[in-house]
Amino acid sequence: MLENFREAFDGIWSHKLRSALTMLGIIIGIASIIAISSTIMGTNEQIKQNLVGAGNNTVEVALYQGDYVLDPTYQQVPEYVRPLTEDILPDITKIKEVQDASLFYRRDAYGMIWYGSEGLNQGSIYGVDEHFLSVSGYVIRCGRSFLPEDFKTFKKVALIDRTVSETLFMGANPINKTIEISSEPYVVVGEFTQNTAFTPTITSINDYFTYTDHSGGKVLIPATTWPTLFAYDQPSSVMVRAGSTDEMTEAGKQTAAVLNGTLTGSGDVTYKSKDLLEQAKKLQELSNATNRQLIWIASISLLVGGIGVMNIMLVSVTERTPEIGLKKALGARKRKISAQFLTEAGVLTCIGGMLGVLVGIGLAYMVSRVSGVPIFISWYIVAATVVFSFVVGLFFGAVPAVQAARLNPIDALRRE
Amino acid sequence: MIIQLDHIEKTYGSGANKVPVLHDVNMQVEEGEYIAIMGPSGSGKSTLMNILGYLDTPTSGTYLFDGQDNARTGDARMARIRNQKIGFVFQSFHLMQRRRAWENVALPLMYGNVRRSERKRRAEEALCQVGLEDRISFYPNQLSGGQCQRVAIARAICTRPKLLLADEPTGALDSKAGQQIMDIFDELHAQGMTIVMITHEHAVAERAKRILYIYDGWLREEERV
Ligand SMILES: Nc1ncnc2c1ncn2[C@@H]1O[C@H](COP(=O)(O)OP(=O)(O)OP(=O)(O)O)[C@@H](O)[C@H]1O
Ligand SMILES: [Mg+2]
């Protein structure tokens, strides 16, 4: 076995130029596969990150009417929906994929929030519990967060995000200013923001509409003060944080299932998760479909490379006919001879494959530089392509190997 | 009796292209004999040798080697017999240029599944036997023709075969180098090796204890006086 590899390297090394040219087809084939797949996976990763956000892993589970979130400002809540209480949270955090959960109310803030004559046209108002900020991955940028007393003593305090701050205060310091929410005075105590400064990567106008958040600003108030502004029995939503990005779908589904268990009847209003991961998958499918064609084209060059290998191995068998004859005369069996040529073909294409991987990674980096699309190199794919190129060698080396093994030792020895 | 040929015929080709090469060849070789086969070019010497060495099978007739009829036993068994019981020496050495002397010698041991460490030891031993103990790690292109042929002999004997077949072992050498080769054959014969050698040269054939002649595929024996 070791001997086979030694002979293979000998054979390849003693015809460096020829071996290099033979490998070229394999190198090009593998390089394009690596470059294409790295770009595809990079694009996919980008889509996922753009939609899902970087590392937040939060999933919102809310009441939906059909495909749209039910907003009690405009829509009637059916009888069978019971208001949720804190008691449901342990059931939710019990779910394997869920790390933390928070209950909140939400309404469209249109025309409801004012500071002097400046009003908020877009955005939502949230009635939140103590967990909400940490579950959602929000941090306080300036001012303070809600304190336990704020909840206990029904304090009319509010947290706002950057969008709201800019709309209402035009860059002035919002802290300790009093805003009006549904005609009630609320004191702004802090400004919050996403803990990861994540901005989606936008490479086209489509990306802009797909990924940019158009929901306007967010205003948070203690959930305990919510009933004074709105109805007591308004249904709430749940925000959960999944253990990892890949668990988001499951976390959302399980939570929705728990919440749907509280419904006392059935209709077209149910709890559903806003599944960004699922959405990302759909977008990925689209980009995959086009790129898969490219892989096929790359495979053709691999095929051509394989035929080149077969051709050169046939030449090599002819060249080494006396050597094969000698080995047979000395007692080498057919399978020994064929193993030698198979090994040589396999080693040749395997080296070609490895060089192809290097070239492919280089190409991918270049594409990424030019187009701005990130790349993602999967070591699983790298290993698979190297193994695959080895298999290509074995496949196309089979004919020459059998031919060598079949040589009649006398004829082979006679030829000089 | 190590070799017994009965009515061996060998015909190449078929139909109109039939070329009869050996006709009714009968031959016996005792263990430890040293035989030379002579004959004009094209008379069928190499053909006979290939049959003796299990590189080829006769068209008809029986060949008993070491008391066994191994005719048409298939590639694997024939390879095994060649590997373990027969040593070949060719006119043109047939050494692998990218292998050191000892690696060339060890080649048949590898096919016989001898352990690595053992291979080197036995190859060196065989090289000593042909007087090349100081050329063990040389490459063939660093050796003279005579030395190359001695490496080839070492390769033939390192498996300790029952039969040594040599097809014009001195054909490519000058008379002095040829002499050395013949001395080695004499020595091997003295140690009890059975040798069948093809040669064109009378001086070389004289060294053998028995000479067979072949003309147009007909084998004839001439007792020495
Ligand atoms: N494969 C073959 N097909 C047809 N004829 C063959 C084949 N091999 C050998 N012959 C013929 O058999 C005859 C004997 O060949 P062989 O090689 O045995 O001669 P030789 O006695 O060894 O000659 P030399 O002394 O030149 O080596 C020749 O006439 C040759 O043409
Ligand atoms: Mg001949």
Side-chain angles (χ1 to χ4, degrees), chain B residues 2-201:
Chain B
I2 183 156
I3 293 173
Q4 175 153 8
L5 296 183
D6 287 311
H7 309 296
I8 292 290
E9 306 268 342
K10 181 68 189 181
T11 307
Y12 282 113
S14 58
N17 304 329
K18 251 187 186 168
V19 186
V21 179
L22 295 179
H23 308 278
D24 193 26
V25 171
N26 297 287
M27 171 179 165
Q28 272 122 35
V29 179
E30 299 285 348
E31 210 152 342
E33 267 196 292
Y34 182 6
I35 295 179
I37 297 177
M38 296 192 73
S41 186
S43 56
K45 303 184 296 294
S46 297
T47 305
L48 177 59
M49 172 90 120
N50 291 338
I51 290 172
L52 291 178
Y54 284 100
L55 287 169
D56 205 353
T57 45
T59 312
S60 68
T62 52
Y63 169 24
L64 293 183
F65 176 73
D66 207 14
Q68 282 179 301
D69 184 0
N70 299 301
R72 298 174 187 82
T73 48
D75 173 73
R77 271 207 58 196
M78 279 171 56
R80 216 177 127 82
I81 295 171
R82 288 197 298 269
N83 183 250
Q84 318 226 298
K85 304 211 167 161
I86 297 168
F88 291 96
V89 178
F90 306 98
Q91 179 176 354
S92 50
F93 325 141
H94 283 293
L95 295 182
M96 292 176 60
Q97 296 301 316
R98 298 178 61 82
R99 295 301 157 95
R100 298 173 188 281
W102 78 264
E103 291 170 322
N104 266 291
V105 173
L107 205 57
L109 295 175
M110 198 171 75
Y111 302 136
N113 295 324
V114 177
R115 269 190 295 114
R116 251 185 116 66
S117 50
E118 174 79 355
R119 291 209 288 264
K120 172 136 200 202
R121 197 185 61 71
R122 274 169 67 174
E124 284 174 357
E125 193 182 284
L127 281 167
C128 287
Q129 239 179 309
V130 297
L132 287 179
E133 55 279 350
D134 53 349
R135 296 284 189 280
I136 282 166
S137 291
F138 280 48
Y139 285 97
N141 61 11
Q142 300 169 320
L143 298 171
S144 73
Q147 288 168 333
C148 282
Q149 192 60 300
R150 274 145 75 190
V151 172
I153 294 170
R155 180 179 64 195
I157 61 173
C158 74
T159 54
R160 302 180 188 125
K162 293 209 134 202
L163 173 65
L164 183 65
L165 295 175
D167 194 344
E168 301 194 36
T170 58
L173 303 175
D174 62 31
S175 64
K176 185 157 171 291
Q179 209 93 55
Q180 283 179 326
I181 299 299
M182 295 327 296
D183 290 344
I184 293 170
F185 275 40
D186 279 348
E187 207 177 298
L188 290 171
H189 171 60
Q191 287 165 12
M193 176 76 80
T194 312
I195 303 172
V196 175
M197 171 181 70
I198 290 172
T199 182
H200 271 120
E201 299 162 65

Side-chain angles (χ1 to χ4, degrees), chain A residues 199-226:
Chain A
T199 36
T201 314
I202 307 291
T203 49
S204 71
I205 188 77
N206 279 342
D207 287 358
Y208 178 78
F209 285 112
T210 314
Y211 302 133
T212 323
D213 191 1
H214 297 292
S215 59
K218 292 187 175 83
V219 175
L220 313 186
I221 59 171
T224 46
T225 69
W226 189 268

